[in-house]
Structure formats: structure tokens, C-alpha cells
Amino acid sequence: MRVIDAFVESLDVIEMGFDKARTAATGRRPYHPGDLLKLYIYAYLNQTSSTRRLEKE
């Protein structure tokens, strides 16, 4: 949803305390906290509590 994307992109996730937003140069990169926040908000708005149901959507 574009509204969720625009909202999360307007936030400064590093300032909010998500220190994993800056990744190290070594190892596999983790998911960006902003992407996970978008997924969480989408699930909340669609009243989806199951990760399997969320995966289907």
C-alpha cells in the first residue's frame, strides 16, 4: 500500500532506535527495519495475526 510506504519512508528509523538500519560490511545483511515495520502495519490494518495468512496475502 502506498500510504504505508509513504508513512514509513517519512520516518527516521535510526533516530527511533533501530540500530540495525546501519549494516556492517561483513556477513549477510539483515532485513531493513523499515521493511519489517511496513509489513507489521499492513498486517495490523488487515487484522492478520497469522504469519501464514500474511504470507498468502
Side-chain angles (χ1 to χ4, degrees):
M1 298 176 87
R2 293 179 189 211
V3 174
I4 296 172
D5 285 337
F7 174 71
V8 173
E9 294 297 326
S10 70
L11 300 174
D12 186 9
V13 292
I14 296 172
E15 184 180 305
M16 293 175 62
F18 294 100
D19 56 346
K20 301 291 183 189
R22 290 189 197 120
T23 59
T26 60
R28 187 173 204 165
R29 297 177 65 180
Y31 291 111
H32 191 274
D35 294 337
L36 296 175
L37 181 60
K38 290 176 192 178
L39 184 63
Y40 180 79
I41 292 171
Y42 176 82
Y44 179 79
L45 291 176
N46 290 303
Q47 299 176 348
T48 305
S49 59
S50 169
T51 55
R52 291 183 181 176
R53 190 176 301 148
L54 186 59
E55 180 183 13
K56 287 180 184 178
E57 288 187 29

